[in-house]
Amino acid sequence: MSAFGGLGSFVRRPKADRPVVDRRPRLDGVPVDRLPEILPEVKRGKRRRITVIGEDVLHRPTREITEFGTKELRELINDMFATNAVASGAGLAATQIGVDLRVFVYDCTDKYDVRHVGHVCNPVIEKLPDDVAGRQTGWEGCLSVPGGGYDLARADYAVVRGVDQRGNPLRLEGTGLLARCFLHETDHLDGILYVDHLSEKGRALALAEMEEHKQEIWDDWDAKAAELGKE
């Protein structure tokens, strides 16, 4: 199977050998006809406070989830989706709402502008050869470093394995921003922030930018929370 074959994003043109993108959105990696702009999980969930760099929970590895299908896990994931929506995030790890469990949610697009939504419990990033993973360099920020960002090189194609909240196995493939999201959020669950990958100068610039803009960002989140009824 090619690097992209398992993604489900490519089908063959009739009478041709050129792949085209299936632009249907994906829910937990599965193509669906449509996804609502505001997800059901967002409507059910509560907004929680987003942790900020320097808080201990962000800088240590998380505990694996061992109990699945519980009300507590379902509510946690709903709250993560709601909090991510308030902050207009691409993804959110449990540590970013102060919970040291190995789970993240995501709602972002791939390099073909296809929307992907889902969650992963106990994620592990597959190790891929450099010629398969490729490389992208672009601006990266973090909801736990509000207002700060910096250019960072990441793989352009990533595969994450894990399970859903019921314990069913997942294998998700991402390109572009989605690949960056999978890598960024899994890093969070290992106690790593994107600024930890930067040079000393880059880290200092990102943190200075955060100090300058964080209140503006927090005000924007409050406004979005009011819009979504998540105050």
Side-chain angles (χ1 to χ4, degrees):
M1 181 179 292
S2 73
F4 296 108
L7 184 58
S9 294
F10 296 83
V11 295
R12 294 293 181 185
R13 294 181 190 271
K15 301 180 181 179
D17 193 33
R18 298 179 60 189
V20 295
V21 177
D22 177 351
R23 297 194 180 276
R24 287 179 296 170
R26 304 293 196 274
L27 180 61
D28 292 324
V30 178
V32 294
D33 290 335
R34 63 177 297 275
L35 285 170
E37 181 178 354
I38 301 175
L39 300 168
E41 293 88 347
V42 172
K43 294 179 179 179
R44 293 193 294 263
K46 302 186 298 293
R47 177 194 186 184
R48 298 209 202 176
R49 173 185 169 275
I50 293 178
T51 52
V52 178
I53 184 172
E55 297 186 42
D56 185 58
V57 69
L58 288 171
H59 302 281
R60 64 172 189 260
T62 50
R63 296 177 293 124
E64 287 211 348
I65 295 171
T66 57
E67 295 186 26
F68 300 95
T70 66
K71 175 183 176 183
E72 291 77 14
L73 181 56
R74 181 173 66 252
E75 290 180 346
L76 172 63
I77 290 170
N78 288 341
D79 290 355
M80 290 171 66
F81 271 113
T83 305
N84 188 58
V86 163
S88 299
L92 187 81
T95 53
Q96 294 183 274
I97 58 169
V99 177
D100 70 333
L101 287 176
R102 196 167 182 83
V103 56
F104 72 78
V105 302
Y106 61 94
D107 185 350
C108 68
T109 56
D110 63 18
K111 71 187 302 179
Y112 306 102
D113 204 32
V114 173
R115 184 185 179 194
H116 294 251
V117 169
H119 69 280
V120 188
C121 299
N122 301 336
V124 176
I125 297 294
E126 284 190 7
K127 292 184 178 180
L128 302 173
D130 291 344
D131 61 335
V132 173
R135 206 68 173 161
Q136 59 170 313
T137 299
W139 186 93
E140 189 164 330
C142 178
L143 303 182
S144 292
V145 188
Y150 205 77
D151 280 352
L152 179 63
R154 295 272 197 186
D156 193 46
Y157 169 71
V159 178
V160 61
R161 291 183 181 271
V163 296
D164 67 17
Q165 61 180 299
R166 297 176 182 84
N168 300 312
L170 291 171
R171 182 181 185 274
L172 303 170
E173 304 180 47
T175 58
L177 178 60
L178 184 62
R180 185 178 292 274
C181 176
F182 287 164
L183 296 166
H184 179 111
E185 302 306 336
T186 303
D187 267 356
H188 266 304
L189 302 177
D190 292 329
I192 300 168
L193 275 65
Y194 85 95
V195 293
D196 296 328
H197 294 295
L198 301 179
S199 66
E200 185 176 340
K201 177 183 177 181
R203 181 186 178 97
L205 288 171
L207 295 181
E209 190 176 25
M210 180 191 80
E211 289 303 318
E212 181 179 355
H213 297 291
K214 65 184 180 182
Q215 189 58 55
E216 175 187 341
I217 297 298
W218 290 335
D219 290 344
D220 287 345
W221 294 352
D222 287 342
K224 184 68 172 180
E227 179 185 328
L228 292 172
K230 300 294 177 182
E231 295 177 280

